[in-house]
Amino acid sequence: MSTLKIKQLGQGMTEYIIVVALVAVAAIAVYQMFGQVVRSQTAAMAKELAGEDGTEQSEAARAAAESAASQTAPKTLKSFTGNAQVQ
């Protein structure tokens, strides 16, 4: 194989690794934000399927969803400079 062909093959693999890493980081961020919601909803469904009352887990999922929604509020530079004085 020529050197050029080997370098091109390596470039494709590198690009693939970068894309996979970006997808993994995005998945971790989404799970971090909505993980509690998913766990609570799954627990509620499991209780309902078992014939028990899953209201408590449903309420926990709703509270976690509201908490996650409040974290997605738009942020500006002023959000991070609470102690800065404007003149």
Side-chain angles (χ1 to χ4, degrees):
M1 293 179 105
S2 70
T3 306
L4 180 60
K5 191 165 186 144
I6 292 173
K7 285 183 180 179
Q8 287 178 348
L9 184 63
Q11 179 183 0
M13 181 61 74
T14 303
E15 291 171 354
Y16 176 74
I17 290 171
I18 290 170
V19 168
V20 168
L22 290 173
V23 169
V25 168
I28 290 169
V30 168
Y31 188 76
Q32 188 72 12
M33 186 171 289
F34 295 110
Q36 186 60 43
V37 176
V38 173
R39 283 190 294 271
S40 296
Q41 287 177 339
T42 304
M45 287 187 285
K47 281 202 160 216
E48 292 291 336
L49 286 173
E52 300 175 14
D53 184 24
T55 306
E56 183 180 336
Q57 284 73 23
S58 294
E59 291 299 322
R62 181 174 294 115
E66 289 171 0
S67 174
S70 69
Q71 293 176 8
T72 61
K75 293 184 171 80
T76 63
L77 190 57
K78 290 181 181 180
S79 302
F80 302 102
T81 58
N83 59 355
Q85 297 179 3
V86 180
Q87 295 184 7

